[in-house]
Amino acid sequence: MNPRLDRLQPYPFERLRRLFADLQQPADREPIALSIGEPRHALPGFVEPVLRDAIQGYNHYPTTRGEPALRETIAAWLQRRFQLDGVDANRQVLPVSGTREALFAIAQAVVAEKPGARVLMPNPFYQIYEGAALLAGAEPAFYDLAAENGYLPDFSAVDAATWDAVQLVYICNPGNPAGACMSESAMQELIGLADRHDFVIAADECYSEIYHPDAEPPAGLLGAAARMGRTGFERCIVFHSLSKRSNLPGLRSGFVAGDAALLDRFALYRTYHGCTLPPPTQAVSRAAWADEAHVADNRALYAEKFAAVVPILQEVLDVEPPAAGFYLWPRVPDGDDEAFARRLYAEAGVTVLAGRYLSRSDPETGHNPGAGHVRMALVAEPAACIEAAHRIAALYQETIF
Ligand SMILES: Cc1ncc(COP(=O)(O)O)c(C=O)c1O
């Protein structure tokens, strides 16, 4: 077997299952899970009729690059959303079966294996980045997302030896778990570093459409590149998904866009990898990228939940609504995220994710930037999210008073 598989760490939810193995949830209350980031708002209304009309498509093999009509719809969406003058639907867009597999696959296509090769990624992070780096034969290197920096990257803290060895840098923007958003100028600085140190930037923007309805939409890497006069998006690729934007995590549909030369090589890799979008999935995807009304409804529902839940939690926790995304990332009262998660599970019937499971400890200092936080996903119905917040507040008010 491939010995690199031994380096893959258990997924956060597996660690959470072990954390709760000796506990029972209260028998007299409905359990509420705020742990998994699976959108649970209703499917957009167009999904069923579009799928029905497209059903004959199962009769055909899909192509790796997807149907031109889907790529054109995506290119038009990108142009509108990020104020881009032009996106070449044939060369700068590639539909993918969800961003998870594409974020993994990009490292396999980009990394040239050699001793000391590095892939730089945020910490806390989406664990796929780490596995992708390891299986591509590179060592993961991390940049911490710390409260002192507003949970944003501080690339000035990355040392020269790391920059010399880096081939690929992942950014997650808006971030999971903290929801912080990089500015366009911060992304332009990173593009400058990419030129200087010769690396590719993979921007995971799968939460970019979940923001407060009254706020400016989060900036994106392609917009940052275009505003530098870089219309070929050299060294830049973005990852977008219908999972969060359109409540379609089961559809497995997203896209990759950016530097045409990179995408050309990536498409070659994917021909062998074999991940294509079934034609009916492409039809639903096209309808979803062409419609904004359901996305606005989705944003409004998340905003409603944050407005209701955050003030209740603020009675007992240091917590703020995120700039974007659907997670809360509070600090826990006594600093022990595992103990806090256990207590909520056993005494309140509420499941949250211990922050340390989303990050890696510094091997020298032992510091883990996720420790002391928990992640709460406000994906359930408003009533369940509010009920969970009341249970947490009640539990900790008992302790405080
Ligand atoms: C940061 C981040 N990136 C990517 C994904 C993958 O999304 P999908 O594969 O559904 O597009 C997730 C899913 O939870 C995520 O949190």
Side-chain angles (χ1 to χ4, degrees):
M1 293 298 285
N2 184 343
R4 287 182 186 146
L5 289 170
D6 296 337
R7 301 226 20 223
L8 300 183
Q9 302 217 19
Y11 221 56
F13 300 106
E14 171 58 22
R15 295 178 71 187
L16 202 61
R17 203 183 52 75
R18 285 187 222 154
L19 181 71
F20 300 148
D22 61 331
L23 301 178
Q24 294 267 311
Q25 288 198 300
D28 58 341
R29 296 161 176 215
E30 207 44 47
I32 304 176
L34 304 181
S35 43
I36 301 188
E38 178 189 66
R40 288 195 233 129
H41 297 175
L43 287 186
F46 54 76
V47 172
E48 207 175 319
V50 170
L51 196 56
R52 212 178 302 122
D53 287 351
I55 205 88
Q56 288 303 325
Y58 284 125
N59 221 201
H60 303 286
Y61 272 121
T63 57
T64 300
R65 287 180 187 266
E67 289 156 24
L70 173 59
R71 278 185 271 120
E72 277 153 24
T73 305
I74 291 170
W77 179 81
L78 277 170
Q79 283 174 212
R80 282 195 306 276
R81 169 63 176 82
F82 297 104
Q83 292 98 49
L84 306 174
D85 285 338
V87 173
D88 183 335
N90 290 327
R91 299 175 59 245
Q92 294 176 326
V93 174
L94 194 62
V96 294
S97 42
T99 46
R100 178 193 180 109
E101 66 87 358
L103 286 161
F104 175 83
I106 194 69
Q108 318 313 310
V110 165
V111 171
E113 220 179 309
K114 57 181 175 190
R118 293 287 193 134
V119 173
L120 187 63
M121 62 195 71
N123 192 26
F125 60 8
Y126 179 52
Q127 194 160 315
I128 298 302
Y129 313 148
E130 183 190 48
L134 290 167
L135 287 173
E139 255 332 288
F142 299 103
Y143 55 90
D144 283 0
L145 302 177
E148 314 76 274
N149 296 322
Y151 302 106
L152 287 166
D154 171 14
F155 291 113
S156 69
V158 177
D159 61 48
T162 302
W163 284 131
D164 284 346
V166 160
Q167 298 186 22
L168 175 67
V169 173
Y170 285 104
I171 56 172
C172 183
N173 190 56
N176 168 6
C181 295
M182 288 171 74
S183 65
E184 207 163 272
S185 62
M187 286 187 253
Q188 289 170 341
E189 279 173 33
L190 181 62
I191 293 172
L193 286 165
D195 283 342
R196 227 168 305 143
H197 300 288
D198 188 20
F199 60 80
V200 170
I201 308 170
D204 177 353
E205 299 184 352
C206 76
Y207 290 94
S208 69
E209 304 315 290
I210 311 296
Y211 53 87
H212 194 281
D214 299 335
E216 283 293 309
L221 186 68
L222 297 191
R227 252 78 72 200
M228 294 167 88
R230 225 174 154 101
T231 47
F233 313 121
E234 291 80 3
R235 300 184 184 281
C236 300
I237 3 186
V238 296
F239 296 73
H240 282 269
S241 172
L242 291 175
S243 300
K244 328 287 177 188
R245 174 186 181 272
S246 301
N247 300 316
L248 290 168
L251 185 69
R252 309 312 303 134
S253 179
F255 69 82
V256 175
D259 185 327
L262 284 170
L263 286 194
D264 188 54
R265 305 302 288 167
F266 189 44
L268 172 66
Y269 171 82
R270 297 178 63 76
T271 314
Y272 288 83
H273 191 218
C275 278
T276 52
L277 290 183
T281 303
Q282 295 194 43
V284 174
S285 306
R286 186 143 62 95
W289 290 115
D291 182 72
E292 288 300 327
H294 74 285
V295 192
D297 291 347
N298 204 20
R299 275 194 282 275
L301 191 51
Y302 283 117
E304 186 193 310
K305 290 194 271 187
F306 282 117
V309 164
V310 171
I312 303 169
L313 291 177
Q314 280 174 335
E315 291 170 24
V316 294
L317 290 178
D318 175 11
V319 62
E320 292 298 330
F326 49 55
Y327 300 109
L328 291 171
W329 183 238
R331 281 193 235 238
V332 302
D334 57 5
D336 184 342
D337 47 312
E338 284 182 321
F340 181 83
R342 279 173 63 84
R343 184 159 182 219
L344 293 197
Y345 185 86
E347 295 179 43
V350 174
T351 310
V352 299
L353 187 60
R356 71 185 60 197
Y357 298 167
L358 292 168
S359 27
R360 296 288 172 253
S361 302
D362 184 311
E364 276 155 36
T365 64
H367 173 69
N368 179 320
H373 290 77
V374 289
R375 193 186 76 176
M376 301 177 173
L378 296 199
V379 288
E381 287 306 310
C385 294
I386 294 167
E387 164 69 15
H390 280 305
R391 289 190 204 170
I392 296 168
L395 197 61
Y396 276 83
Q397 265 153 358
E398 274 169 27
T399 314
I400 294 167
F401 300 112

